[in-house]
């Protein structure tokens, strides 16, 4: 068994150890290039309290500091297009291409060493990472499965940020296993058929493809009933090629593909028993702005399932907290193949933390 010890979900010292060993060497996701599709576009990163922004430098995305070097003010919020970054407080002005300070009103000379930090970003399928690892090399052996993650003719729609009172690993664990889908998700469990799931594994990821269930003829909830109809309508009555594609890039990045939808989520650790989940939604050109009912229904069914997953996470957290306080390590076996992704994730955690 490779189950993480219970103290790793609650102990403050281990949380610090995990940040230093696991997350410092792991890829950090900051957004998708579709957030800044045109040269000189910018998009501030809300979940970082806008302290950083993505900037399109000649169709190459980079990460730029967004805190003024003068009086530490956030400069830009949201998205837009600009050749310069200007702080409204005192009009200090920076070149976002190289971060250099180019204007400081009423100073005879520009203050020295007051430039914004610029970080180059790696790209895979348009996803943008800051990492010492070679992301494309880590994901080189996914093969044909990666074709399901296709952002061609897609647009960025919106982001949802949710704060939770449980350890980040719990969120990933629920996402990484399919054993609970049929008994706990009446909607999702009748949209996808986990009996037909296919797995693909690598050192830094797991990947699964799940077909639709019953040709979408037996919805399991009222929202999913409307969603089934909408999906079939968008596919001209033909059952989609897949119900879901679920990928986890370890340790904490998730990519989900549904019919005419891609969702990217990141579980960010904020304390031993707290995490923040950032969820981004992307849709094809023919959907976003043209079929708002599709977007609305898709997000409604997504959140219906997410709330059910939230309950699972909190119940696991409460149970583990009780066992931890009692000094009782108690684990059950993995159910294969539905919990094979969970087992692979646990092996990753043990490998990357013990080797540190």
């Amino acid at each position: 068994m490779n189950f993480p010890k219970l103290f790793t979900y609650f102990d403050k010292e281990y949380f610090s150890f995990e940040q230093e060993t696991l997350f410092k060497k792991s890829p950090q996701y900051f957004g998708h290039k579709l957030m800044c599709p045109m040269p000189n576009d910018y998009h501030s990163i809300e979940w970082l309290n806008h302290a950083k922004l993505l900037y399109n430098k000649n169709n190459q995305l980079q990460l730029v500091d967004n805190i003024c070097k003068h009086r530490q003010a956030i400069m830009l919020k949201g998205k837009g297009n600009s050749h310069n970054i200007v702080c409204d407080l005192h009009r200090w002005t920076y070149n976002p291409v190289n971060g250099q300070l180019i204007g400081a009103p009423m100073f005879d000379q520009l203050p020295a060493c007051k430039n914004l930090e610029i970080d180059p970003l790696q790209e895979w399928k348009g996803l943008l990472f800051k990492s010492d690892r070679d992301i494309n090399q880590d994901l080189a052996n996914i093969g044909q499965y990666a074709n399901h993650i296709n952002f061609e003719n897609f647009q960025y729609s919106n982001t949802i940020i949710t704060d939770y009172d449980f350890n980040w690993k719990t969120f990933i664990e629920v996402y990484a296993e399919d054993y609970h889908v049929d008994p706990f998700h009446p909607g999702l469990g009748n949209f996808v058929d986990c009996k037909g799931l296919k797995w693909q594994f690598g050192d830094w990821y797991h990947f699964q493809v799940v077909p639709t269930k019953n040709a979408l003829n037996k919805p399991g909830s009222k929202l999913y009933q409307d969603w089934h109809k909408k999906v079939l309508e968008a596919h001209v009555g033909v059952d989609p090629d897949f119900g879901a594609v679920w990928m986890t890039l370890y340790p904490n990045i998730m990519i989900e593909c549904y019919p005419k939808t891609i969702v990217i989520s990141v579980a960010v650790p904020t304390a031993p028993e707290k995490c923040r989940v950032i969820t981004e939604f992307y849709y094809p050109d023919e959907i976003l702005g043209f079929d708002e009912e599709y977007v609305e229904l898709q997000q409604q069914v997504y959140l219906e399932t997410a709330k059910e997953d939230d309950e699972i996470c909190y119940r696991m957290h409460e149970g583990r907290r009780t066992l931890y306080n009692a000094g009782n390590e108690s684990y059950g076996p993995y159910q294969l193949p539905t919990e094979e992704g969970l087992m692979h994730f646990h092996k990753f955690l043990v490998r990357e933390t013990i080797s540190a």
Side-chain angles (χ1 to χ4, degrees):
M1 294 293 183
N2 290 282
F3 292 106
K5 297 292 186 180
L6 285 179
F7 80 91
T8 68
Y9 297 85
F10 303 102
D11 185 78
K12 292 181 179 179
E13 290 187 7
Y14 186 83
F15 179 81
S16 298
F17 166 79
E18 206 172 50
Q19 298 305 299
E20 289 296 317
T21 57
L22 183 60
F23 282 94
K24 278 199 171 180
K25 64 183 177 183
S26 299
Q28 295 176 277
Y29 173 76
F30 288 99
H32 194 279
K33 69 178 184 180
L34 290 174
M35 291 179 167
C36 300
M38 302 299 293
N40 306 315
D41 276 357
Y42 66 84
H43 188 120
S44 67
I45 302 175
E46 183 181 0
W47 58 271
L48 291 177
N49 298 316
H50 305 281
K52 300 277 188 180
L53 57 81
L54 296 173
Y55 187 81
N56 187 325
K57 171 190 173 184
N58 298 321
N59 292 318
Q60 292 292 318
L61 275 291
Q62 57 188 26
L63 191 68
V64 184
D65 274 356
N66 193 32
I67 298 176
C68 184
K69 295 295 185 179
H70 181 229
R71 291 295 175 260
Q72 301 85 41
I74 296 293
M75 294 182 286
L76 298 175
K77 285 189 176 182
K79 57 184 178 180
N81 187 282
S82 179
H83 290 275
N84 297 317
I85 298 176
V86 181
C87 180
D88 290 341
L89 272 65
H90 303 103
R91 308 303 295 178
W92 278 40
T93 302
Y94 303 86
N95 182 343
V97 172
N98 54 25
Q100 288 186 350
L101 178 67
I102 57 176
M106 302 180 69
F107 280 84
D108 293 334
Q109 294 183 335
L110 290 179
C113 302
K114 295 295 182 181
N115 300 326
L116 302 177
E117 183 177 338
I118 303 287
D119 290 307
L121 296 170
Q122 296 186 50
E123 179 182 329
W124 182 79
K125 299 284 186 177
L127 285 79
L128 303 167
F129 303 94
K130 180 181 175 182
S131 180
D132 292 333
R133 301 188 58 81
D134 185 336
I135 304 298
N136 283 276
Q137 182 61 40
D138 285 343
L139 301 177
N141 294 322
I142 295 181
Q144 64 178 357
Y145 286 93
N147 294 333
H148 291 293
I149 303 175
N150 185 357
F151 286 88
E152 186 177 359
N153 299 319
F154 268 65
Q155 297 181 43
Y156 164 75
S157 174
N158 61 295
T159 298
I160 296 175
I161 300 173
T162 311
D163 291 305
Y164 293 109
D165 293 323
F166 49 74
N167 186 271
W168 70 274
K169 292 188 289 294
T170 303
F171 189 92
I172 301 297
E173 288 168 334
V174 172
Y175 180 79
E177 56 97 347
D178 300 273
Y179 194 25
H180 73 274
V181 172
D182 283 341
F184 212 83
H185 294 311
L188 179 64
N190 284 282
F191 185 79
V192 298
D193 187 357
C194 290
K195 292 180 180 178
L197 73 88
K198 297 179 180 179
W199 291 100
Q200 172 79 11
F201 296 101
D203 286 346
W204 281 79
Y205 68 88
H206 71 250
F207 194 105
Q208 55 186 310
V209 179
V210 191
T212 58
K213 195 171 190 177
N214 298 318
L216 300 183
N217 288 321
K218 296 181 179 180
S221 74
K222 177 59 173 68
L223 274 177
Y224 268 91
Q225 181 179 13
D226 296 339
W227 174 236
H228 286 207
K229 291 179 180 177
K230 197 65 181 174
V231 169
L232 289 172
E233 176 187 303
H235 290 78
V236 199
V238 178
D239 196 20
D241 292 338
F242 59 85
V245 170
W246 293 320
M247 176 182 175
T248 303
L249 175 58
Y250 297 156
N252 64 332
I253 302 162
M254 295 146 286
I255 306 168
E256 304 171 70
C257 301
Y258 302 100
K260 297 186 183 297
T261 305
I262 301 178
V263 183
I264 303 170
S265 298
V266 184
V268 180
T270 54
E273 298 179 59
K274 292 182 181 293
C275 65
R276 168 172 283 188
V277 176
I278 299 92
T279 306
E280 301 167 358
F281 295 88
Y282 299 81
Y283 302 97
D285 295 341
E286 76 268 16
I287 295 292
L288 196 61
F290 293 93
D291 192 346
E292 290 305 315
E293 183 184 13
Y294 193 99
V295 173
E296 182 178 356
L297 275 173
Q298 189 279 322
Q299 295 197 18
Q300 284 178 350
V301 297
Y302 185 91
L303 293 176
E304 177 179 277
T305 300
K307 288 178 181 178
E308 294 162 356
D309 281 336
D310 294 350
E311 182 181 348
I312 298 173
C313 288
Y314 277 111
R315 287 167 64 171
M316 288 171 59
H317 175 76
E318 291 166 3
R320 286 171 170 170
R321 162 57 76 178
T322 300
L323 292 172
Y324 174 66
N325 288 340
N328 180 11
E329 296 277 345
S330 179
Y331 304 93
Y334 296 103
Q335 197 292 318
L336 304 180
T338 62
E339 291 188 308
E340 198 163 353
L342 176 65
M343 181 173 66
H344 193 69
F345 174 60
H346 284 165
K347 288 180 178 179
F348 164 82
L349 291 175
V350 172
R351 182 188 77 221
E352 294 301 319
T353 53
I354 289 179
S355 64

